[in-house]
Amino acid sequence: MSKTVLITGATGGIGLATATDLAGRGYTVIMHGRNRKKTEAARDTILAGQPDAELKIVMADLARLEEVRRLGEEVLILAPTLDVLINNAGVWNSKQELTSEGVEKTFAVNHLGYFLLSHLLLPSLRRSSDGRIVCVASDSHQQIKGMFFDNINLDGNYHGLRAYAQSKLANVLFCYEFDRRRRSDDPTIFAVQPGLVQTDIGLKGNTWLHSLAWKVRRRMSGNKTPAEGAATSIFLATEPNLADQSGLYWDNAAPKKSYSSSYDKDEARILWEMTEEMVGIEKYF
């Protein structure tokens, strides 16, 4: 029986590269996107090269918690047993933007979306004999010393890099805390550093200066292709016998140290409890 994977942000870049690879390995791939036309085009791109691929598409704006909840309900029906959740979707904004629920958008999509969707899909992930959650984080979390708990929206202190770094630190703290709270039938969880990859992140809807800075950073860091950026996520989704590697930070298909603040257990606990309140879920642990 084939395994089933949900990939958020699967319409381009790392997400599409991940979906293409896993479809080729025989996985049933649920591709998430925000724009239906773009998501269908991504699906059709895979089918053009792999006509027998098992692909499904789901739509949601991950900046809106109500849509994340609806997405969770839909996936529970589509995949009563879910083997892998890859939290890949992410945004980077030059200017502060608040969601309809009053949350800074980068934090909402990059962290609240990961946290809530992972919890909503636990029933399906627990039915898998080897359930896994892969969270695409970033070494950008090293750019701040800790979470801005007294001003999570960065009001009056906003910068695109600061907001992105906070959301990526939140990803790592979430993975570590999830693993500490993990019960025996829960999925394993991994945080991933994909590197600076040739994707749209940092380019669309941002100032020309920030877009140029992203292009320069990518060029100086090797300018990885989406396939190269997806390699570690694919490894963590497919490699057998990783149960004892849960709760680690990965780069180039190997564990590595994250920034020192990400190991602060009090910081992780505070973030967890604050996030529970923000997304309005019952305690799962």
Side-chain angles (χ1 to χ4, degrees):
M1 183 179 293
S2 69
K3 291 188 173 184
T4 301
V5 56
L6 167 63
I7 305 168
T8 65
T11 60
I14 295 172
L16 179 56
T18 304
T20 303
D21 183 281
L22 294 180
R25 296 173 189 249
Y27 279 66
T28 295
V29 180
I30 304 174
M31 303 173 65
H32 157 265
R34 185 169 57 88
N35 177 286
R36 180 167 292 278
K37 184 176 180 180
K38 188 174 180 181
T39 308
E40 290 175 345
R43 176 198 60 193
D44 293 345
T45 296
I46 296 176
L47 288 173
Q50 303 178 47
D52 296 328
E54 292 290 333
L55 304 174
K56 302 175 182 180
I57 63 172
V58 290
M59 313 303 303
D61 180 354
L62 299 184
R64 302 179 63 189
L65 294 176
E66 64 185 57
E67 291 207 24
V68 178
R69 294 188 189 98
R70 181 189 54 75
L71 174 63
E73 292 173 358
E74 184 176 354
V75 174
L76 288 174
I77 295 170
L78 275 177
T81 299
L82 182 66
D83 297 286
V84 186
L85 165 62
I86 300 181
N87 287 310
N88 167 79
V91 298
W92 192 103
N93 291 320
S94 291
K95 297 179 181 179
Q96 186 191 48
E97 182 179 347
L98 300 185
T99 69
S100 59
E101 290 135 327
V103 181
E104 190 276 312
K105 188 174 182 179
T106 306
F107 188 78
V109 174
N110 296 5
H111 170 61
L112 298 187
Y114 281 26
F115 186 97
L116 180 55
L117 189 59
S118 297
H119 281 79
L120 293 173
L121 296 181
L122 280 178
S124 287
L125 288 161
R126 285 169 175 161
R127 291 191 189 100
S128 172
S129 61
D130 187 18
R132 303 180 183 195
I133 299 173
V134 178
C135 295
V136 178
S138 169
D139 276 355
S140 294
H141 77 275
Q142 301 176 11
Q143 296 174 1
I144 57 173
K145 294 181 179 179
M147 300 294 298
F148 298 95
F149 288 124
D150 59 341
N151 183 16
I152 209 70
N153 283 350
L154 301 176
D155 295 327
N157 188 36
Y158 188 86
H159 188 286
L161 288 174
R162 188 177 295 116
Y164 188 73
Q166 174 172 248
S167 73
K168 294 293 113 177
L169 175 58
N171 291 160
V172 183
L173 288 167
F174 163 56
C175 287
Y176 290 171
E177 185 68 6
F178 183 101
D179 190 67
R180 281 189 284 267
R181 296 172 181 242
R182 191 165 61 96
R183 63 188 216 189
S184 60
D185 60 342
D186 279 335
T188 50
I189 191 165
F190 312 95
V192 173
Q193 147 67 3
L196 287 166
V197 181
Q198 299 171 35
T199 69
D200 289 340
I201 196 166
L203 303 181
K204 286 190 172 183
N206 292 309
T207 66
W208 71 268
L209 183 59
H210 285 161
S211 296
L212 177 62
W214 272 92
K215 290 177 182 178
V216 171
R217 288 179 69 208
R218 288 188 176 106
R219 197 167 294 121
M220 292 176 65
S221 300
N223 217 14
K224 281 186 174 182
T225 66
E228 291 170 331
T232 302
S233 291
I234 294 166
F235 174 84
L236 292 170
T238 61
E239 185 71 11
N241 305 317
L242 290 179
D244 62 345
Q245 302 293 304
S246 180
L248 298 179
Y249 185 65
W250 292 74
D251 188 5
N252 292 322
K256 77 170 192 178
K257 289 286 187 181
S258 53
Y259 187 60
S260 57
S261 64
S262 66
Y263 296 104
D264 187 323
K265 293 181 181 179
D266 288 334
E267 184 117 332
R269 176 186 53 78
I270 293 168
L271 175 65
W272 184 280
E273 293 172 355
M274 182 194 76
T275 306
E276 280 187 324
E277 184 174 348
M278 291 180 75
V279 302
I281 62 170
E282 297 176 355
K283 289 183 168 62
Y284 283 72
F285 300 90

